[in-house]
Amino acid sequence: MLYLVSTPIGNLEDISLRAIRILSTADIIACEDTRHARILFERHGIKPLRLVSYHSHNERSRAHELAEDMRTGAEIALITDAGTPGISDPAWAIVKEAIALGVEVVPVPGACAAIAALSASGLDTARFVFEGFLPLKKGRQTRLRQIAEEERTTVIYESPFRIKKLLTELSTVCSPTRHVALAREITKIHETFYRGPLEEVLKALEGQFPGDVKGECVLILEGDTGK
């Protein structure tokens, strides 16, 4: 059994009773950062039986190791540093291994930054696309042009150190009047939403980024309405 356990994206209270139970009983918990995971475990009294790291630098070797554990009947809980495993993180590799082995893969729903930001954006939620992090160099301009022409609402992840650049780029390929919602510090004490035309949100960020923000930002872009 492979459990994909969603964890809080900020506020440590945003975890389900089911997630706590599974994390407390799993034979192995695989996580991006063991130190980060222990903060959550201590908060909820979780005492993992065995804890291993699983991140972008060791995903292939660790996926094979965990596959061997699953072959012997181990129940594994996979968590990311924050949010739902497999969304903009390397969890898909072990999921692929598990499916190939015929192991049951069970999602344990919970927090997801993309959905949290979208739900409070004030933009159309009926149809949307998730872009995750955009390429830093190769293919970036092509992707930006595609996003500009997308009729559905677009959800993008970005670092606070690059968010102004992204907004500026979108103002160029879209229009400075295209509406967006920028979410920062979601579920944390300094949670903030900036909503309005690109040009106004950019102006609101003057003197604030990147020093005032930790963690990734979520940008929700209005779809191209053809206006």
Side-chain angles (χ1 to χ4, degrees):
M1 188 83 75
L2 174 65
Y3 293 102
L4 305 178
V5 183
S6 299
T7 55
I9 57 177
N11 191 316
L12 294 181
E13 294 181 353
D14 292 333
I15 188 169
S16 69
L17 295 175
R18 182 186 179 202
I20 293 173
R21 175 179 59 79
I22 290 171
L23 292 174
S24 298
T25 59
D27 298 307
I28 302 170
I29 299 177
C31 57
E32 285 188 88
D33 186 328
T34 57
R35 293 167 300 179
H36 185 90
R38 289 186 189 281
I39 295 174
L40 175 67
F41 298 160
E42 290 175 6
R43 173 68 173 78
H44 293 287
I46 298 168
K47 297 179 180 180
L49 299 177
R50 179 185 167 198
L51 194 62
V52 300
S53 63
Y54 178 73
H55 45 71
S56 59
H57 300 295
N58 72 351
E59 59 180 306
R60 290 190 178 182
S61 60
R62 188 67 82 191
H64 290 308
E65 292 174 15
L66 292 175
E68 290 300 320
D69 290 316
M70 286 187 284
R71 284 192 184 96
T72 63
E75 288 199 346
I76 297 175
L78 182 64
I79 64 173
T80 181
D81 280 348
T84 301
I87 307 301
S88 286
D89 69 42
W92 70 271
I94 185 59
V95 173
K96 185 177 180 180
E97 289 270 3
I99 292 172
L101 289 171
V103 172
E104 186 175 0
V105 178
V106 180
V108 182
C112 175
I115 298 302
L118 178 65
S119 67
S121 68
L123 298 176
D124 184 12
T125 60
R127 299 172 66 238
F128 63 92
V129 293
F130 177 68
E131 282 289 333
F133 289 97
L134 300 183
L136 295 181
K137 294 182 180 179
K138 185 178 180 180
R140 184 178 179 87
Q141 292 307 313
T142 299
R143 188 77 66 83
L144 285 168
R145 287 192 293 270
Q146 292 172 342
I147 290 172
E149 297 173 357
E150 175 58 62
E151 296 181 356
R152 295 165 292 182
T153 302
T154 301
V155 182
I156 305 171
Y157 284 169
E158 188 53 281
S159 157
F161 298 98
R162 294 190 297 268
I163 190 63
K164 281 187 178 180
K165 176 185 176 183
L166 175 60
L167 290 169
T168 301
E169 291 172 323
L170 288 172
S171 295
T172 302
V173 297
C174 298
S175 162
T177 59
R178 181 82 71 91
H179 279 247
V180 297
L182 173 63
R184 51 170 280 188
E185 304 281 72
I186 300 177
T187 77
K188 299 178 182 178
I189 190 171
H190 297 300
E191 175 181 276
T192 307
F193 278 83
Y194 299 90
R195 303 179 181 89
L198 279 161
E199 56 186 0
E200 292 184 11
V201 172
L202 256 173
K203 188 177 298 184
L205 299 186
E206 290 180 3
Q208 294 191 37
F209 283 75
D212 296 342
V213 182
K214 296 180 180 179
E216 280 73 38
C217 301
V218 184
L219 181 68
I220 314 296
L221 176 70
E222 178 184 36
D224 182 8
T225 59
K227 293 180 180 179

